[in-house]
Amino acid sequence: MAAAASTNSFLVGNNTQIPSSKPKSTSQSLLHLTKPNTLNLAGKKTKPVSVRCVSSTPQVQDGAARSSTTGSQDRVFNFAAGPATLPENVLLKAQADLYNWRGSGMSVMEMSHRGKEFLSIIQKAESDLRQLLEIPSEYSVLFLQGGATTQFAALPLNLCKPNDTVDFVVTGSWGDKAVKEAKKYCKTSVVWSGKADKYTKVPPFDELEQSVDAKYLHICANETIHGVEFKEYPVVRNPDGFLVADMSSNFCSKPVDVSKFGVIYGGAQKNVGPSGVTIVIIRKDLIGDAQEITPVMLDYKIHDENSSLYNTPPCFGIYMCGLVFEDLLEQGGLREVERKNQMKADLLYNAIEESRGFFRCPVEKSVRSLMNVPFTLEKSELESEFIKEAAKEGMVQLKGHRSVGGMRASIYNAMPLAGVEKLVAFMKDFQAKHA
């Protein structure tokens, strides 16, 4: 058995951990977990078995992650729009606790959602999110499921009656989808749409012809597909109305004055966690007057009264969000996070502008997203080659959304500066070869 004790193997049922002079890769650490010598069942001795796994370039040294500013050698730079890249140190922390969370004897994935262990996880996640966004006490935080798309129906069902009017500012595909779904449950009014200009701008707010009696005004704060982001927010004309924002793709990317909104919602899978978690921040006085046809799983009152635990929530996803919230606080909060995001976005947009038209971003400069950067090539026939060559260099998921084409680089919080620097260097090299 001694011959099997290499950096690519471990012994199941062996009470002696295998020494290694080499750092372990992620794939190795996942098998080791936190206690590779605790797999005996009911106190019975098990026969040592050698299990081999394929490892790649080491990424962890002395049990710690490399700096998040550089990235590890065996991980790609993932520019996907969502699910998206997660902070490397968060992944490693989750990996270390995967088998046995903080000595509980079980994984988070095995916990009862009503047990004290998971209650501590979800309560801390909410507390840290409240601290990050400075959420006032008169707002509830809900951890739900179904993605932001489910909220397109939940919002009108909870917030208005069938004859009430809801205004929409449509700056991209997701705002358009929200209107189409809301029409099933209330009256809708599109007070402005950027569709004629291929969704490349945000309107001047004084030009919005809002309904006098609109129950609320809905916006998508950052359009993931088209790369359009609100830098300021409109004021609702109706004094009894309120602002609702889909913040799926720029959630926790910068400070936000929550008090300006009645509801903020978003899927977690872009900036704060894996897919499966939807976060709703809602003013408490807006809860409790849902339409009679509202399904129980879409009723905010049900989830608020049960502290997001009416049924089994996406436990592991909420745990991961909590780790991300911790990480953002450790970085110095959202003002520091915004500074880093602005630096990355400036680097990429400047490279596009300095290419003298070889690369082009169609979005109006004043509303270009810090999170999602769409761009095209002057010679469109080179776009597939650009994407293919970038992938060979370890930069993946740069293909634009199927509805618009071109390329798109999503540079969320967890994308390190090194990833953007590498992309910019590649863009310059590609231009030099093909200009």
Side-chain angles (χ1 to χ4, degrees):
M1 294 298 293
S6 69
T7 57
N8 292 339
S9 67
F10 74 107
L11 297 180
V12 178
N14 191 336
N15 287 328
T16 304
Q17 186 166 345
I18 298 167
S20 173
S21 60
K22 298 181 180 180
K24 300 178 181 66
S25 71
T26 299
S27 55
Q28 293 168 266
S29 299
L30 186 57
L31 285 171
H32 276 287
L33 303 170
T34 56
K35 292 187 177 181
N37 58 337
T38 58
L39 295 180
N40 290 342
L41 302 177
K44 297 179 180 180
K45 293 184 178 180
T46 56
K47 183 179 179 180
V49 180
S50 178
V51 181
R52 296 188 63 81
C53 62
V54 178
S55 67
S56 52
T57 308
Q59 83 171 44
V60 184
Q61 296 185 10
D62 300 324
R66 290 175 183 264
S67 168
S68 61
T69 60
T70 59
S72 294
Q73 294 176 5
D74 56 353
R75 281 176 59 81
V76 297
F77 288 118
N78 178 12
F79 292 93
T85 189
L86 286 164
E88 194 169 299
N89 57 318
V90 165
L91 292 173
L92 290 167
K93 185 179 291 186
Q95 179 191 57
D97 283 340
L98 181 65
Y99 179 68
N100 182 353
W101 182 79
R102 299 187 181 180
S104 66
M106 56 186 161
S107 170
V108 174
M109 291 184 284
E110 302 169 300
M111 292 176 180
S112 166
H113 61 292
R114 304 196 190 281
K116 63 180 181 179
E117 294 87 359
F118 184 72
L119 288 178
S120 71
I121 289 172
I122 193 170
Q123 289 167 2
K124 186 175 188 305
E126 178 179 339
S127 176
D128 285 350
L129 179 58
R130 285 184 176 276
Q131 184 179 344
L132 272 172
L133 283 170
E134 300 178 3
I135 300 173
S137 59
E138 58 267 28
Y139 285 75
S140 289
V141 175
L142 308 177
F143 293 98
L144 307 177
Q145 303 181 64
T149 302
T150 299
Q151 297 307 309
F152 295 165
L155 288 161
L157 283 168
N158 280 272
L159 303 177
C160 55
K161 303 305 180 186
N163 289 326
D164 288 339
T165 298
V166 175
D167 284 347
F168 288 82
V169 177
V170 179
T171 52
S173 295
W174 293 110
D176 185 57
K177 291 177 186 292
V179 176
K180 291 175 179 176
E181 187 68 6
K183 280 182 178 179
K184 301 173 184 177
Y185 310 108
C186 66
K187 295 179 179 179
T188 60
S189 174
V190 177
V191 298
W192 188 89
S193 172
K195 189 172 184 179
D197 295 311
K198 298 183 177 180
Y199 298 128
T200 56
K201 62 178 68 174
V202 170
F205 298 149
D206 57 4
E207 294 181 7
L208 298 178
E209 297 182 4
Q210 297 184 49
S211 306
V212 177
D213 59 346
K215 194 73 174 182
Y216 61 88
L217 174 65
H218 181 281
I219 64 170
C220 181
N222 185 80
E223 282 284 355
T224 318
I225 293 174
H226 295 90
V228 176
E229 182 174 19
F230 281 78
K231 305 302 180 180
E232 301 291 339
Y233 304 106
V235 175
V236 180
R237 180 181 179 185
N238 180 2
D240 295 322
F242 48 91
L243 186 61
V244 173
D246 176 357
M247 292 192 179
S248 293
S249 53
N250 66 349
F251 189 70
C252 285
S253 66
K254 60 183 179 180
V256 172
D257 184 352
V258 175
S259 67
K260 290 183 176 180
F261 301 84
V263 183
I264 292 171
Y265 69 99
Q269 71 274 11
K270 301 176 187 297
N271 244 336
V272 296
S275 59
V277 180
T278 307
I279 298 172
V280 174
I281 302 170
I282 179 171
R283 218 171 63 204
K284 291 181 179 180
D285 64 298
L286 300 177
I287 299 173
D289 195 24
Q291 295 183 33
E292 289 185 6
I293 64 169
T294 305
V296 66
M297 285 303 294
L298 298 189
D299 191 332
Y300 294 148
K301 185 173 185 287
I302 295 293
H303 294 293
D304 184 50
E305 289 178 342
N306 289 275
S307 303
S308 302
L309 298 170
Y310 174 72
N311 73 328
T312 306
C315 296
F316 195 78
I318 292 170
Y319 159 71
M320 290 296 293
C321 288
L323 294 184
V324 172
F325 298 152
E326 283 183 5
D327 179 65
L328 295 175
L329 287 170
E330 289 169 2
Q331 288 184 47
L334 297 187
R335 286 174 179 79
E336 175 62 15
V337 170
E338 181 184 29
R339 185 191 68 80
K340 294 176 180 177
N341 287 333
Q342 187 69 59
M343 184 188 307
K344 291 183 295 184
D346 286 346
L347 182 63
L348 184 50
Y349 284 121
N350 287 341
I352 293 171
E353 293 302 312
E354 292 167 3
S355 72
R356 300 181 301 279
F358 187 83
F359 297 102
R360 299 172 178 177
C361 175
V363 182
E364 190 176 275
K365 290 182 180 180
S366 62
V367 294
R368 287 179 173 176
S369 171
L370 297 188
M371 299 287 98
N372 310 100
V373 182
F375 59 99
T376 59
L377 279 167
E378 181 181 28
K379 301 175 181 178
S380 59
E381 64 273 14
L382 291 174
E383 289 176 356
S384 61
E385 182 180 348
F386 179 93
I387 294 166
K388 186 183 300 182
E389 292 300 316
K392 290 179 182 178
E393 296 296 324
M395 294 170 286
V396 301
Q397 299 296 324
L398 282 165
K399 186 176 182 179
H401 191 271
R402 61 186 181 277
S403 64
V404 297
M407 281 78 64
R408 174 180 54 178
S410 294
I411 50 176
Y412 298 122
N413 292 349
M415 173 58 65
L417 178 62
V420 181
E421 290 174 336
K422 184 172 182 178
L423 175 59
V424 167
F426 174 78
M427 291 167 67
K428 291 179 178 178
D429 288 345
F430 190 87
Q431 180 177 358
K433 293 176 182 177
H434 299 282

